Every structure is written in structure tokens, then in C-alpha cells.
Amino acid sequence: MGMLEGKVVAVTGAGRGIGREIALLAAAEGASVVVNDLGASESGEGADTGPAGEVVEIIKSKGGKAIVNGADISDPLGAESIIEDALRAFGKIDSVVNNAGVLRDRIFHKMSRSDWEDSIRVNLNGYYYVSKAAALVFKEQGHGNFVHFTSTSGLIGNFGQANYSAAKMGVVGLSNSIALDMQRFGVTSNCIAPFAWSRLTASIPAQTEAEIERVERLKTMSADKIAPLAVFLASDRSKEVSGQIFCVRKNEIFLFSVPRPVRSMHRAEGWTPDSIADELLPAFKPSFHDLARSSDIFAWDPI
Ligand SMILES: NC(=O)c1ccc[n+]([C@@H]2O[C@H](COP(=O)([O-])OP(=O)(O)OC[C@H]3O[C@@H](n4cnc5c(N)ncnc54)[C@H](O)[C@@H]3O)[C@@H](O)[C@H]2O)c1
């Protein structure tokens, strides 16, 4: 028996990269899969259901069940169609993997409003639309699992990705809130920050020696390594896991910390701007975190 035997799973952005590997493993573990992919370019232009169709054909050729959904997740009706297609084709929906994503990288002072809005539209609003469409079904049936893709670009930081980082941190807030709001209905919601060589990461500009080295390291990380954790989180075996942020890098799986207060200082008379500068700043300063990029923190070679 596969871990997802008898389950129905929708995976967004499953025509390529990480989503494709999740769809293939979910099917191999017994799930019927809605393979959603708009088939856009890495920055979100155009549409082609060819890649999603290929994934469905591979699943069917191995005796599995899958259908194509070519909707744009940033269109609320398109997002709803993913859940409707699952219900129509397979009679139910058990898990949603919010994986689709686009990049519109630009250094902040040059980031246009459309760079900002296009990223938020797909990477954050799209996740809300798909989750919202599934939430009512999950509530009625008393179970359901959400797996959302975030990024260390948001969790830690990166250059030229203010739009993407904001969206991906938004995804963390969305996941945490769904976990809290829907716990009473038996629903779980978790995040994965992946590292994988894909079309998306192939678009990372690499000019300096350090950047070239970072990209060479990324090339050794294959997308299929992310799928086992996503499939586990989409299964009944992860019932007690919710509101967590995981990270996968090759054969390593990480659990991330979440913000909690690290220092507190009380002043009986209350604070003035001057007393903050004179008393609070020197007390807090040793606890400030350094500004870091994802690659500064994940500085060692993956095994
Ligand atoms: N690859 C990495 O190292 C990495 C790192 C951090 C986060 N991520 C996240 O992981 C997820 C998967 O990334 P990937 O590297 O496999 O990228 P990818 O570009 O290979 O695949 C993403 C897929 O999403 C689809 N898509 C884009 N916009 C869509 C939309 N509006 N509606 C439906 N489908 C749409 C694309 O057509 C594409 O097939 C993304 O959310 C990405 O932000 C990836």
C-alpha cells in the first residue's frame, strides 16, 4: 500500500521542476492527481499545457490516475477549477500542494510596480485562491492537508527579490493562519522551503565568483529530493504536524525556527526616543541578527 492510496491530491505548477516530481511520487504512492500547470515562462508569460500533459501521460503509463488542469492560480475562478476538476474526475480532494511560482527579480530601487504586483499575484494571491477553494471542502469532510512552497529568499533573505521574498513570507503567514483556523476541522497546513536545480533557479544571475559557485552547487540538487517530504505532509501520516516550516536540500531535511521574542526591557517611566537610543539600543544590540543572504547561512556543501 502506498502512503497516498485512495487519496486525491492537487499539485499546482506540476508540469515542471519540483511540482512535477511531487505529482509523480504522489501517483506512485497511490494518489489520483490533478496536475495543474499554466505552462507559463519563468516570469509568468504565455501558456502551454504540454508539460502538464506529459506528466499525466507518464502517470497513466505506469497505471496511475491523473488529469491535466491548465488554470492560472492567480485567477480566482482558475484556482477554483482545480478543486472542481478533482471533485468531478475523482469525487473528492484530500490534499493541496501549492507549488506554482514565478520570479521577477530586480534590485529594489529598480523594481517596478508590475514586478511587484505580478509576483504577489501568483506567489501569494494564487496560494490564497487555491487554498480558499479547498478549505470549504476540507471543513465539510473533516480532513485535508495543505503543503505550501516558501523560500529561504524570504525566510533568510536574498538580493533583488523583495517582491518574491514578501510573497514567500506571506505564504508562511497564510499557512500558519490556516493551521490555526482549520485545526478544529482536522486540517493541517505546512510549508517547505526547497533547494533544487530547476528552470526557476537556472534564471538566477551569476556574475561574481561566489554567485557562480553557488549556482554550481545548486546544480547538484535535484528536484526529486523534495517530493518525499511533500508526499508525507500530504498524507494521513502527518496528522500531528501543522504550522511548521521545513526546508529540503538534497538529502538534508531542516526544521526552521519561527519568530519569538528574544529580548525584553521594561522601564517603569515608559520610553522616550532618547531613552530608547541611550538605554535600549546598547542592551538589544548584542541580540540583533546580521543581515544575511540565504547562501550565507547555507554556506556548506550539501551531501
Ligand atoms: N528551485 C528552488 O531552488 C526553489 C527555491 C525556493 C523556492 N522554490 C519554490 O518552489 C516552487 C517550485 O519551483 P520550481 O523551482 O520547481 O520552478 P519551475 O519554474 O521549474 O516550476 C514552476 C511551475 O509553476 C508553473 N506556474 C507558474 N505560474 C503559474 C500560474 N499562475 N498558475 C499555474 N502554474 C503556474 C510554471 O509553468 C512551472 O511549470 C515555487 O513555488 C518556487 O518559488 C524553489
Side-chain angles (χ1 to χ4, degrees):
M1 280 274 280
M3 196 179 266
L4 294 177
E5 210 61 55
K7 299 286 182 190
V8 179
V9 179
V11 186
T12 69
R16 293 190 187 82
I18 296 167
R20 177 183 192 274
E21 299 301 328
I22 295 169
L24 294 175
L25 186 62
E29 290 288 335
S32 301
V33 185
V34 179
V35 179
N36 159 265
D37 205 302
L38 172 65
S41 71
E42 53 269 49
S43 58
E45 280 105 22
D48 168 18
T49 54
E54 279 169 33
V55 174
V56 167
E57 285 316 310
I58 296 172
I59 292 173
K60 284 185 174 168
S61 73
K62 292 182 175 165
K65 290 190 199 134
I67 55 163
V68 175
N69 172 288
D72 177 348
I73 61 158
S74 71
D75 165 15
L77 293 179
E80 280 174 24
S81 79
I82 298 171
I83 307 306
E84 286 163 4
D85 280 0
L87 298 176
R88 196 176 307 120
F90 305 121
K92 61 177 189 149
I93 177 79
D94 297 294
S95 305
V96 166
V97 181
N98 265 323
N99 162 83
V102 293
L103 286 181
R104 281 287 174 96
D105 293 3
R106 201 92 59 205
I107 197 83
F108 187 62
H109 63 277
K110 291 184 180 165
M111 187 172 283
S112 68
R113 197 190 291 178
S114 69
D115 293 330
W116 174 266
E117 287 174 350
D118 287 346
S119 178
I120 300 294
R121 189 168 51 78
V122 177
N123 296 320
L124 180 57
N125 294 350
Y127 282 38
Y128 159 72
Y129 296 139
V130 179
S131 302
K132 184 65 204 312
L136 286 176
V137 185
F138 285 0
K139 173 181 176 287
E140 289 307 312
Q141 70 194 16
H143 76 267
N145 309 290
F146 288 106
V147 184
H148 313 274
F149 276 78
T150 183
S151 171
T152 60
S153 293
L155 297 168
I156 298 169
N158 217 349
F159 292 154
Q161 293 196 315
N163 49 1
Y164 182 74
S165 298
K168 290 297 189 183
M169 284 300 263
V171 166
V172 171
L174 173 72
S175 174
N176 200 38
S177 294
I178 292 174
L180 284 167
D181 286 355
M182 300 202 70
Q183 186 177 32
R184 74 195 73 178
F185 309 122
V187 175
T188 67
S189 180
N190 292 285
C191 285
I192 300 177
F195 284 94
W197 184 246
S198 71
R199 185 182 66 159
L200 217 59
T201 37
S203 72
I204 294 174
Q207 275 138 16
T208 66
E209 210 169 294
E211 285 167 348
I212 292 167
E213 198 183 307
R214 176 177 169 235
V215 165
E216 285 308 311
R217 221 191 291 151
L218 253 174
K219 281 185 185 168
T220 69
M221 305 175 203
S222 59
D224 60 307
K225 297 286 187 184
I226 317 298
L229 179 63
V231 164
F232 163 73
L233 292 173
S235 80
D236 288 343
R237 296 283 300 276
S238 67
K239 258 192 183 92
E240 68 214 276
V241 186
S242 198
Q244 306 302 317
I245 308 166
F246 298 93
C247 173
V248 186
R249 203 178 73 133
K250 237 171 158 174
N251 293 325
E252 288 169 295
I253 297 182
F254 305 83
L255 179 65
F256 259 69
S257 61
V258 293
R260 294 287 185 264
V262 290
R263 282 295 308 264
S264 149
M265 202 171 171
H266 175 264
R267 193 168 184 268
E269 319 85 290
W271 293 98
T272 64
D274 270 333
S275 62
I276 289 173
D278 295 339
E279 293 173 39
L280 186 126
L281 179 61
F284 275 16
K285 218 172 171 184
S287 304
F288 284 173
H289 67 264
D290 294 329
L291 276 180
R293 298 174 71 182
S294 170
S295 53
D296 298 327
I297 302 300
F298 286 90
W300 70 99
D301 281 340
I303 324 135

